[in-house]
Amino acid sequence: MLELVDIHAGYGRTEVVHGVSLTVPEGGVAAVMGHNGAGKTTLLRAAVGLIKATSGTILLGGEDITSMRPSARVARGLAYVPQGQQSFGQLTTSENLQVVADGRKRGKALIAEALDLFPALKDLLDRRAGLLSGGQRQQLAIARALITEPKVLILDEPTEGIQPNVVAEIERTIIDLTRRGDLSVLLVEQHIGFALQAAEHYSVLAAGHVTSTGTGGADSADAVRAAMAI
C-alpha cells in the first residue's frame, strides 16, 4: 500500500535518513523502532511531505507521490498523527472533530464512528482540548485522523508519555482497526511489545540506517532488542 524506496532525507545540508526502504502492507502494519535520534520522525515527515526527500521514491497504492504536496497526499489517503498529542487547544473536543468532518459527505457518521472507537471522548465533547489529559488528547488526535478516512495511518509514538490504562486502550483500538483489513498503518513505537504485536513486519533504525528487519510477533522481541543495543 505504502512503499518507501531508498529514501534519503534531512534538514538543510544535514542528511538524517540514509537510503531507507520499507513497505506497509495493504490492511496491515509495519513498525519502525529505534532510539531517539535514529531518524524515525524524519522518515515519517518525508513520507507525508512535510520535508522533501532528497532522493528516493514514495509510492501510495502504486502511485508515485514523491513530489506531491502534503495536502495532495492526504487527499489520496495518507493521515499523520505526530508526536505530542496535537490538537486545537482552544477548541472543544467536539469542535476539533467537526473541523475535520466539515465538508465530508459522511461527516456526522464519521464522527460517530470515531467516538465509538474512543468512547471516553463522548463525555468530553464540551471540554476544551487544551484541558484534556495527554492520553485523552492522543485519542482525540487519532480520532481526528480517522475521520479523514485514510488508506494509510501514520502514527509517531502514539503511546509516548501516556498513562498505562490509556496506552492499553489505544493499543487495542489500533490492532482492532488493522484487523478489519481496510486500513494500513505505519507505526513508530518505542514499546516493543505493542509494536511487534501489531506489526506484520518491523524495521529497526539506527543513525538513519536500517540495521535490522523481520516479521512481527513476540518471538522477534529478542532480535529487536539486540538490534537496538548495537
Side-chain angles (χ1 to χ4, degrees), residues 15-198:
E15 185 171 281
V16 177
V17 173
H18 313 286
V20 171
S21 297
L22 62 87
T23 299
V24 183
E26 186 169 359
V29 182
V32 179
M33 292 171 279
H35 295 298
N36 291 336
K40 306 184 301 297
T41 295
T42 300
L43 180 66
L44 299 192
R45 289 173 61 83
V48 297
L50 295 176
I51 61 173
K52 184 177 180 181
T54 53
S55 65
T57 304
I58 303 167
L59 302 170
L60 179 61
E63 180 183 11
D64 189 342
I65 63 170
T66 311
S67 61
M68 290 184 183
R69 295 177 180 272
S71 58
R73 301 185 197 202
V74 170
R76 281 164 172 76
L78 282 188
Y80 176 46
V81 180
Q83 288 177 293
Q85 306 100 42
Q86 295 187 13
S87 60
F88 296 111
Q90 295 303 310
L91 300 183
T92 66
T93 297
S94 178
E95 289 167 340
N96 267 272
L97 298 173
Q98 191 63 53
V99 164
V100 183
D102 280 347
R104 296 184 177 275
K105 292 181 179 179
R106 298 182 58 245
K108 289 184 179 180
L110 291 168
I111 290 175
E113 289 169 10
L115 291 173
D116 285 341
L117 290 170
F118 297 106
L121 296 178
K122 293 180 180 181
D123 294 329
L124 303 168
L125 291 176
D126 295 329
R127 185 174 299 180
R128 286 187 180 182
L131 300 178
L132 301 179
S133 69
Q136 292 164 345
R137 287 196 304 274
Q138 187 65 289
Q139 290 175 311
L140 177 58
I142 297 172
R144 282 164 44 89
L146 291 172
I147 288 173
T148 69
E149 298 183 280
K151 297 175 183 176
V152 180
L153 178 62
I154 299 178
L155 300 171
D156 192 357
E157 302 280 11
T159 66
E160 181 184 31
I162 295 175
Q163 55 269 43
N165 63 315
V166 180
V167 168
E169 185 173 349
I170 289 173
E171 290 176 354
R172 285 194 301 270
T173 300
I174 292 170
I175 291 171
D176 288 346
L177 282 169
T178 57
R179 284 176 177 168
R180 295 179 184 179
D182 58 354
L183 178 69
S184 302
V185 175
L186 176 54
L187 171 68
V188 162
E189 181 57 61
Q190 293 276 13
H191 183 193
I192 293 174
F194 165 44
L196 292 178
Q197 181 184 3

